[in-house]
């Protein structure tokens, strides 16, 4: 592996999962930390270098990349290649289904961190404590229950296979940060998660990181820049029957529909209305959420995890790990932007709702669209990676079209490359057939 630099505030936060993955893999990295709200190091020295004006970000092979989860996933996959050559376990599962389970866990952790973020930003001490109590008594146990169940289903003490993966590191990071930051020890009531945390802590490289913050790297086996992603299309077999469950709307399921459609995967588009969700479908949803899918007779949740699974399975995830990294960056940025949109949906006061919407159109949307435009220009083919359709193109197409339909906001007007991309996706034979079928 080339020298890696991790840039973040002098705290655990969103960078800790990156540090843990690198430490567990024995990859040397420069842990560049800057004071938080103590000096202007971030604003004057590091923010101008950050790809999307956010921390954490990394420098790898002389190029900078953003989006914490995308970074963690890249090094988890990259370490798979290193470990494969060494004939020892990697961090992203032994196959695409195990990667799917890892992505489910990652998505659930992100959902829980969304809850805790509300506690961080709340200024009123009384409301802050109310939110913390609600998390400790409600959301925390709910999500820990999901993780406990998944560990029990696998039966090895890990989330996938019988070895450490990104999923285990994510839950370890979550559990320790909840304890350190909110004094919430969820492990007391979840013995399988407690055992997992102890197992992760006992790993030699993790223990070294915790004890001394100095990592070591084993040079006895060469790392590889190759990726198994390029062989996906060649290995693609006929997909098993797929059922997609969601409300009768676009929403979080539309990206999954687009991926399946672009890949020519036949699927049952099960849409429910009225009382169907709470009475009939919610009880069978893996995490009590929609959308979810049934694949090979088993149900899976987390919309982004589902989309990524079928994208990988069908050659829509880039030709190598660096292209997959760029796709994950784009996906992460879209998720960040959707966080802004959720605030509009949740606001009850009509005046405030319109105010948030106006800010989205004036500030947030242009900011993110500039990021996407820049990435398209960097690649220079009209697509985000390579010279063909990928998950990154589909998720930006979905974002732009949903903005148009939901908020009557044409996000592509001032961004010609994005407009060209949207037109290109819409003209894809399979996508066009799907769009026409909805009219």
């Amino acid at each position: 592996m080339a020298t890696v630099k991790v840039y973040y505030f002098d705290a655990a936060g969103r960078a800790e999962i990156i540090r843990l993955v690198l430490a567990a893999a024995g990859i040397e990295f420069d842990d560049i930390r800057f004071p938080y709200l103590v000096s202007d190091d971030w604003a004057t020295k590091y923010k101008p270098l950050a790809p999307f004006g956010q921390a954490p970000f990394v420098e790898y092979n002389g190029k900078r990349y953003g989006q914490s989860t995308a970074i963690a996933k890249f090094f988890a996959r990259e370490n798979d290649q290193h470990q494969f050559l060494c004939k020892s376990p990697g961090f992203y599962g032994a196959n695409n289904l195990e990667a799917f389970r890892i992505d489910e866990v990652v998505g659930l952790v992100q959902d829980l961190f969304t809850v805790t973020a509300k506690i961080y930003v709340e200024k009123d001490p009384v409301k802050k404590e109310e939110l913390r109590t609600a998390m400790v008594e409600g959301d925390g146990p709910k999500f820990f229950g999901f993780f406990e169940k998944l560990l029990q289903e696998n039966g090895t003490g890990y989330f996938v296979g019988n070895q450490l993966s990104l999923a285990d590191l994510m839950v370890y990071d979550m559990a320790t940060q909840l304890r350190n930051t909110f004094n919430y020890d969820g492990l007391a009531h979840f013995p399988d998660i407690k055992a997992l945390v102890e197992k992760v802590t006992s790993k030699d490289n993790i223990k070294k990181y915790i004890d001394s913050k100095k990592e070591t790297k084993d040079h006895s086996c060469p790392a590889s820049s190759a990726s198994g992603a390029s062989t996906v299309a060649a290995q693609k077999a006929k997909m098993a029957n797929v059922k997609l469950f969601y409300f009768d709307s676009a929403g979080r399921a539309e990206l999954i529909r687009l991926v399946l459609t672009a890949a020519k995967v036949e699927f049952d588009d099960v849409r429910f209305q009225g009382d169907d969700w709470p009475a009939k479908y919610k009880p069978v949803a893996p995490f009590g959420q929609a959308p979810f899918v049934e694949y090979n007779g088993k149900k899976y949740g987390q919309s982004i995890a589902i989309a990524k699974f079928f994208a990988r399975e069908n050659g829509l995830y880039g030709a190598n790990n660096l292209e997959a990294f760029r796709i994950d960056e784009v996906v992460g940025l879209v998720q960040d932007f959707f966080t802004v949109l959720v605030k509009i949906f949740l606001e009850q006061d009509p005046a405030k709702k319109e105010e948030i919407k106006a800010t989205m159109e004036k500030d947030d949307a242009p900011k993110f669209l500039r990021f996407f435009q820049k990435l398209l220009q960097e690649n220079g083919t009209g697509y985000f990676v390579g010279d063909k359709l990928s998950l990154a193109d589909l998720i930006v197409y979905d974002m732009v079209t949903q903005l148009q339909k939901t908020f009557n906001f044409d996000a592509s007007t001032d961004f010609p490359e994005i407009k060209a991309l949207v037109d290109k996706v819409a003209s894809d034979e399979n996508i066009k057939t799907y769009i026409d079928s909805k009219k």
Side-chain angles (χ1 to χ4, degrees), residues 115-286:
V115 174
T116 62
K118 296 176 183 176
I119 307 174
Y120 277 116
V121 300
E122 180 56 58
K123 304 296 185 186
D124 187 313
V126 175
K127 289 183 178 179
K128 185 184 284 285
E129 184 57 30
E130 287 177 356
L131 289 172
R132 193 197 78 85
T133 300
M135 183 275 291
V136 169
E137 296 179 355
D139 294 297
K142 180 180 79 171
F143 281 95
F144 272 67
F146 293 151
F147 298 128
E148 185 93 340
K149 181 182 178 184
L150 294 178
L151 283 170
Q152 292 169 349
E153 283 181 4
N154 192 45
T156 67
Y158 296 100
F159 282 104
V160 298
N162 60 359
Q163 62 206 35
L164 191 70
S165 76
L166 177 62
D168 307 303
L169 292 172
M170 285 288 290
V171 171
Y172 166 84
D173 181 39
M174 177 202 71
T176 52
Q177 288 210 46
L178 285 177
R179 183 182 58 209
N180 296 339
T181 307
F182 298 106
N183 195 29
Y184 170 56
D185 187 3
L187 307 182
H189 304 291
F190 298 93
D192 294 279
I193 299 177
K194 184 174 187 293
L196 173 70
V197 168
E198 291 172 351
K199 196 175 296 187
V200 173
T201 305
S202 69
K203 296 292 181 182
D204 286 344
N205 287 339
I206 297 296
K207 191 171 186 299
K208 289 176 184 176
Y209 171 69
I210 295 170
D211 290 345
S212 66
K213 305 299 182 185
K214 295 178 181 178
E215 298 76 29
T216 58
K217 182 178 180 180
D218 180 8
H219 292 277
S220 61
C221 180
S224 170
S225 61
S227 170
S230 60
T231 64
V232 171
Q235 296 174 346
K236 178 183 170 184
K238 183 176 175 62
M239 296 290 292
N241 187 51
V242 178
K243 293 182 180 179
L244 171 61
F245 299 84
Y246 195 64
F247 303 97
D248 188 14
S249 63
R252 294 182 180 272
E254 193 67 4
L255 177 62
I256 302 168
R257 297 181 186 122
L258 290 169
V259 169
L260 293 170
T261 297
K264 299 183 182 179
V265 175
E266 292 185 2
F267 66 101
D268 293 334
D269 193 4
V270 182
R271 302 185 181 219
F272 32 86
Q273 300 176 356
D275 292 337
D276 283 354
W277 166 242
K280 184 177 180 181
Y281 293 108
K282 187 173 183 178
V284 298

Side-chain angles (χ1 to χ4, degrees), residues 28-40:
E28 290 183 353
F29 67 100
D30 293 334
D31 192 6
I32 299 170
R33 303 184 180 219
F34 31 90
Y36 182 63
L37 297 180
V38 175
S39 74
D40 58 359

Side-chain angles (χ1 to χ4, degrees), residues 337 359-371 409 411 415:
F337 180 52
T359 301
M360 179 274 290
E361 294 180 1
K362 180 177 177 291
D363 298 326
D364 297 299
K367 180 182 77 170
F368 282 96
L369 289 165
R370 281 193 292 271
F371 293 151
F409 173 57
F415 299 91

Side-chain angles (χ1 to χ4, degrees), residues 344-358:
I344 304 175
F345 283 109
L346 295 179
E347 182 55 59
Q348 302 299 315
D349 185 306
K352 288 184 179 179
K353 183 186 287 283
E354 189 57 35
E355 185 179 315
I356 298 172
K357 179 177 178 292

